[in-house]
Amino acid sequence: MQQTSTTMRETVQQVWKKRPMIISGPCSAETEEQVLETATRLAKTGKVDMLRAGIWKPRTRPGSFEGIGAKGLPWMQQAKKITGLPVTVEVATAKQVEDALTFEVDVLWIGARTTVNPFSVQDVADALRGVDVPVLIKNPINPDLELWIGAVERVAKAGIKQVGLIHRGFSSYGNTEYRNAPMWHLAIEMKRRNPELLMINDPSHISGRRDILLDVAQKAIDLDMDGLIIESHIDPDKAWSDAKQQITPERLGEMLGQIAWRKEDINSEEYHAALEKLRQQINHLDDELMQILGQRMSIAEKIGEYKKNNNITILQTNRWNEILERAFKKGEKLNLSKEFITKYFDAVHMESINHQNKIMNS
Ligand code: PEP
Ligand code: MN
């Protein structure tokens, strides 16, 4: 297996540390001309740090374009030579890892349909043993953090030192605004559990369409993601895969210029002091909330005792509806959404039932 050259290795190290890290390129490599022209035009924007292209495409349904295969790897090598930018491709099998490394692919990524399968991840991880190459791991298609963490562990156990994460959203049944629901809270939780790993966002596969790409990208940056991977094609409507979500290199350059990069004024002391003050206020309020919730649960326990003594069930649906209705009315005045109130009270209700249950069974 060939290894990538020393200077390119240094470039990759710099890119790995750069914030925001921007990866772009077509969903799929289609022809040599398409890969090289996309790469050249992306490099011209001056805003892209790494080139991407799918060589082997795991498509959900058979019959759609399943990738050009290893034949596209020399095109990526050539794109790197012309632009000086490192390249990344998706790998799903040991053979694909071997082929990608033979053609000096600088960074590998594991796709969402692979992360769901521990056998496949292990196969890729075994092929990576003894190799020094950074690996990005997309979240699994289903909202299961354990699978995502499992993939990270398998790759890390194979000796890979540089592992990064890509948040690309999660499949959900039925028509939603997104192709893959972002479920931002899962990405946040993954980051909380793995603070040392970089996490970039993939607005293309979350959106599935061009018109909301910028919104998704902005939200990701607001949530302190480390970068973006966005698909770009020289003629998006004619792309052989994911045509609806791809944008031209020039549009990508423009879009990146429209994003408010939240880290810009990180050096301003005044900003820090103001932020610190607000955060302290939040901490005080959170403490109070916890205290109040604790008190609420002690009352629930008293109610539990009363219900036990009178031999009645814990759940009284009417009472619960009444609580929710009251909360909605109050919430409206306080600018709290119905969605939030429902989620909050569901959690409180569950905790309350557990407390009462403990009492009834004691
Ligand atoms: C891709 O990046 O082109 C791709 C197939 O993505 P995912 O694995 O997120 O579906
Ligand atoms: Mn794609």
Side-chain angles (χ1 to χ4, degrees), residues 37 42 50 56 99 101 113 135 143 159 171 198 201 249 258 278 313 325:
E37 192 182 331
L42 282 172
M50 197 180 325
W56 301 278
D99 286 350
L101 294 174
R113 289 165 191 76
V135 177
S171 284
L198 72 89
N201 179 262
Q258 289 168 327
L278 291 170
T313 60
E325 280 314 314

Side-chain angles (χ1 to χ4, degrees), residues 43 50 77-78 83 85 105 115-116 132 165-166 193 208 224 228 239-240 243 247 298 301 312 321 362:
M50 197 180 325
Q77 209 171 19
Q78 186 63 12
T83 60
L85 296 173
V105 171
T115 309
V116 286
D132 182 16
L165 305 167
I166 303 178
R193 289 211 225 164
D224 201 25
L228 301 168
W240 298 1
I247 50 175
S298 336
E301 285 177 13
I312 52 176
N321 285 338
S362 62

Side-chain angles (χ1 to χ4, degrees), residues 27 52 57-58 90 109 111-113 138 168 202 205 231:
C27 175
R52 64 150 281 157
K57 300 300 300 177
E90 174 177 352
W109 96 73
R113 289 165 191 76
K138 287 198 166 196
R168 52 76 81 194
D202 177 345
H205 291 89
E231 290 183 340

